[in-house]
Amino acid sequence: MASLMEKPILQAQQVSKFFGTRAGCRDVSFTLWPGEVLGIVGESGSGKTTLLNTLAGQWPASGGRVQYDSGANGVIPFNEISEPQRRYFLRTQWGMVHQNPRDGLRMRVSAGANVGERLMALGERHYGRIRAEVLKWLEKVEIDADRVDDFPQAFSGGMLQRLQIARNLVTRPRLVLMDEPTGGLDVSVQARLLDLLRNLVSELELSLIIVTHDLAIVRLLAHKVMVMRQGEVVEAGLTDQVLDDPQQPYTQLLVSSVIQP
């Protein structure tokens, strides 16, 4: 629970994204507090990934406002800053974990370099300290230290996703956005990755927005959930309340069935 002294880390106010006349997402509003996990669920085409990319500034919003509390620099209208500023925040204070880890990794450099370059973005230049921190994070995500100099092409799908997580979390960001982080993985690999994420969320007190079609992931990780359909939020609230006692027919349908990716 947020204390009276805390401020929201992220506020979305009537965020919309249109592709021509088609609404990818429309009038989405929510507040995210420090250390809070928000799950966004819905079927394919519901607008959840569009919303995530719009929040991150990867796609310009068609309307609305995204306000980010950057800490020392105060509250920033994130969807109005320059592209260099946006990239800086995504290298330092934010993390973005893609469904396809190849979209979030540099495939032509080693695993260690993928993680270490994020530390260099913060100004670290001491090779020994960078190497030690990289090895610590590879251990955290269950990648053997002797793979530090291997290239990502040699990794399995589950290892690639864990490497992408290490790359994003090594700088201890204030906010992490995740798009279907377990998509396409075997059930046993999914279970290990979810256990890893749950431990890291607790250890680092992450503020996290996770987009998924899998309600089990939301129940395991999220404090709050938003249900999207055709670009709009149809129901939102505390995770247990929404999943155990859904009020909207669409949410009831999702809870009683298996959502296909």
Side-chain angles (χ1 to χ4, degrees), residues 29 36 39 45 51 60 62 69 87 99 102 108 119 127 140 145 153 158 165 170 200 205 215 222 233 238-239 261:
S29 299
E36 192 171 57
L51 174 62
S62 302
D69 181 6
R87 288 199 302 266
Q99 178 177 4
R102 292 174 180 270
R108 295 181 180 273
L119 295 171
Y127 175 80
K140 277 182 180 290
Q153 290 95 329
I165 290 170
V170 67
L200 289 174
E205 298 182 345
L215 295 184
V233 176
L238 297 176
T239 300

Side-chain angles (χ1 to χ4, degrees), residues 107-202:
M107 302 301 289
R108 295 181 180 273
V109 303
S110 69
N114 265 283
V115 180
E117 69 179 12
R118 288 301 180 96
L119 295 171
M120 295 180 68
L122 290 180
E124 179 61 77
R125 293 293 182 268
H126 190 281
Y127 175 80
R129 287 194 293 266
I130 292 174
R131 181 87 171 184
E133 190 70 8
V134 167
L135 291 174
K136 183 178 79 173
W137 270 92
L138 291 183
E139 180 182 359
K140 277 182 180 290
V141 299
E142 300 179 357
I143 295 176
D144 290 339
D146 60 8
R147 304 295 302 271
V148 64
D149 295 319
D150 289 356
F151 285 77
Q153 290 95 329
F155 288 3
S156 67
M159 288 181 66
L160 284 174
Q161 197 62 289
R162 295 200 299 273
L163 178 61
Q164 187 186 189
I165 290 170
R167 174 179 166 87
N168 277 275
L169 298 190
V170 67
T171 57
R172 295 181 177 267
R174 293 167 53 80
L175 174 64
V176 179
L177 311 179
M178 292 188 173
D179 186 9
E180 300 281 8
T182 63
L185 300 179
D186 293 339
V187 173
S188 60
V189 178
Q190 285 186 24
R192 290 176 62 189
L193 186 59
L194 285 174
D195 191 50
L196 168 68
L197 286 175
R198 183 170 58 178
N199 290 336
L200 289 174
V201 165
S202 175

